[in-house]
Amino acid sequence: MIASLEIMLERWRHHHGKEIDIFSEFKILTSEVISRTSFGSGYLEGQHVFDMLTRMTHIISENNYRVRVPGIGKFVKASYDIEFENLEAKIRESFKNMMKKREKDSILGELDGKISLDDLIDQCKNFYLAGQETSASALTWIVFLLSVHTDWQDKARKEVLELFGQQIPSQDRIAKLRIMGMLINESLRLYTPNAILMRRVERETRLGKITVPANTEVYISTLAVHQNPEIWGEDALLFKPDRFADGVVKATNSNIAAFLPFGLGPRNCAGMNFAITETKLALSMILQHYRFTLSPTYAHCPTEVLTMCPQHGVQVILQPYEPNLL
Ligand code: HEM
C-alpha cells in the first residue's frame, strides 16, 4: 500500500497549485494496491486486466437497465453478451498467466485438490471487482467532503501530524486515528459506495407487515437507511462527523443495523479491515503532504455505476502542506 501511495504522491508533485481529478487518481491507486497485494505486481503489469474488468463492470451495470425478451438469449446473443464472454475468457487467461509466473512461491501448491484453479481465478476476480472501485469511491467522497469542510481537514491533519509527524504511518498506530475514524464513518454514511444491497429470499418470509414470497430478490437501499431522519435525526443529511464521536451504537441510537456501508450478516464485506486500513493510510499520507480545496470547475453529480461515484470526477486544487508557513 505504502509503495503505491508513494508513487501517487510522486505523480502529484507535478500538480502543485493545479487542479487534479482525485477520482481518476484513486482508481489508479486502488487498482495498484489490489494488484500488488494479490500478485506483487504493479498496476502497469495488470493494466490490461483492469481495463477489461472495468469494461466488464460497465456491461454488468448497463444490463441492470436493459429490457430483455425472456429466453431469446438461448438463440441469439447480443453484441454486449459476446463482448462479455470474450472479456471473461481473456481475463481468465491473463490471471492464469500471472499465477503461473508465481507458481513456485504461490499458494497454488498448498491448495492442490482443495480448490480448483477456476475457483481461485473467480475469487481473484471477486477481489478485484469488490475491492477496487468501492475503495476508490470511498476515498474520493472523503477527500471531497474534506475539501469543502476545511475545518475538519485541519483537525484530521493535526491528528495525523501528532501521531506520525512526517513519518510513514505505522500499522499499529493507525487504529489510534479517532477523528479520522469519525470522518470515514460520516462519509460512508452520506456517500455510501454500495447504495444497494441485494438478497434472495429462500422461503416465504415476513418482513414487518410484508410477506415476501420464496425466491424473491430483495433490494435494500443503504442510502435510504443511512439518511433516515427517524434514526439519524433531523440533521441526517448534514455532514456532522461528531455524531460518531462515541461510536456507531450511540450514533445510530442503539440501532447498529442502520449503519451498513460494508453490508451485514455472514456475507458482509470480506475486505472491510483491508479497506479501512487502506483509507486511513492514504488519507494520512495525503494530509501530511497536501492541503486541498474544491475546484470551481467541480459539478456535483453522484451517480450509481456499480458504486456511488462522481459522474464528472472530483476536481480539487492541491497545495503542498508546509508546516512552517502556518
Ligand atoms: C470502502 C471500501 C469498501 C466498501 C464500502 C465495501 C462494501 C461492500 C459491501 C456493501 C458488500 C456486500 C455485503 C453484503 O451484501 O452484506 C461487499 C462485499 C464484498 N467485499 Fe467489499 N467493500 C469495500 C472494499 C473491499 C475490499 C478492499 C475488498 C477486497 C480486498 C472487498 C472484498 C469484498 C468481497 C470479497 C465481498 C463479497 C463477500 C461475500 O459475498 O461473501 N471489499 N463489500
Side-chain angles (χ1 to χ4, degrees), residues 127 130-131 134-135 138 194 197 199 261-264 267-271 274-275:
F127 270 78
T134 42
S135 300
N194 291 57
L197 296 175
R199 291 292 186 268
F262 293 100
L264 209 63
R267 299 307 298 262
N268 76 344
C269 176
F274 183 96

Side-chain angles (χ1 to χ4, degrees), residues 70-221:
I72 200 161
K74 283 185 192 155
F75 309 103
V76 190
K77 279 195 178 134
S79 58
Y80 46 82
D81 285 331
I82 297 170
E83 187 185 357
F84 191 90
E85 283 173 12
N86 286 341
L87 286 168
E88 211 171 24
K90 282 184 191 158
I91 290 169
R92 191 163 285 269
E93 209 42 48
S94 300
F95 271 124
K96 270 188 187 158
N97 289 339
M98 280 197 254
M99 285 170 167
K100 261 192 197 140
K101 273 195 206 157
R102 296 195 59 199
E103 217 157 21
K104 277 194 198 118
D105 52 11
S106 78
I107 51 170
L108 285 182
E110 288 166 35
L111 292 174
D112 210 16
K114 292 180 195 152
I115 182 171
S116 70
L117 182 63
D118 277 354
D119 284 345
L120 198 56
I121 291 170
D122 280 343
Q123 289 301 335
C124 287
K125 275 186 356 198
N126 264 350
F127 270 78
Y128 269 124
L129 287 175
Q132 188 254 328
E133 186 117 347
T134 42
S135 300
S137 80
L139 261 173
T140 302
W141 291 121
I142 297 168
V143 171
F144 159 74
L145 286 163
L146 291 184
S147 69
V148 177
H149 301 274
T150 47
D151 51 336
W152 279 101
Q153 184 186 142
D154 292 341
K155 283 186 205 175
R157 182 176 298 100
K158 187 166 175 277
E159 182 181 51
V160 169
L161 294 177
E162 275 169 13
L163 264 176
F164 308 116
Q166 287 293 344
Q167 303 294 311
I168 287 174
S170 58
Q171 169 88 38
D172 54 325
R173 301 190 85 189
I174 273 187
K176 294 193 173 140
L177 290 165
R178 204 181 74 86
I179 290 178
M180 195 180 283
M182 287 156 50
L183 289 168
I184 292 173
N185 280 348
E186 184 64 340
S187 178
L188 287 175
R189 182 183 74 81
L190 286 170
Y191 292 92
T192 189
N194 291 57
I196 290 172
L197 296 175
M198 284 176 246
R199 291 292 186 268
R200 180 183 290 276
V201 176
E202 267 186 13
R203 51 179 183 279
E204 191 177 279
T205 306
R206 274 192 75 78
L207 281 180
K209 290 180 186 160
I210 305 167
T211 304
V212 187
N215 294 320
T216 308
E217 274 189 2
V218 177
Y219 286 58
I220 303 146
S221 168

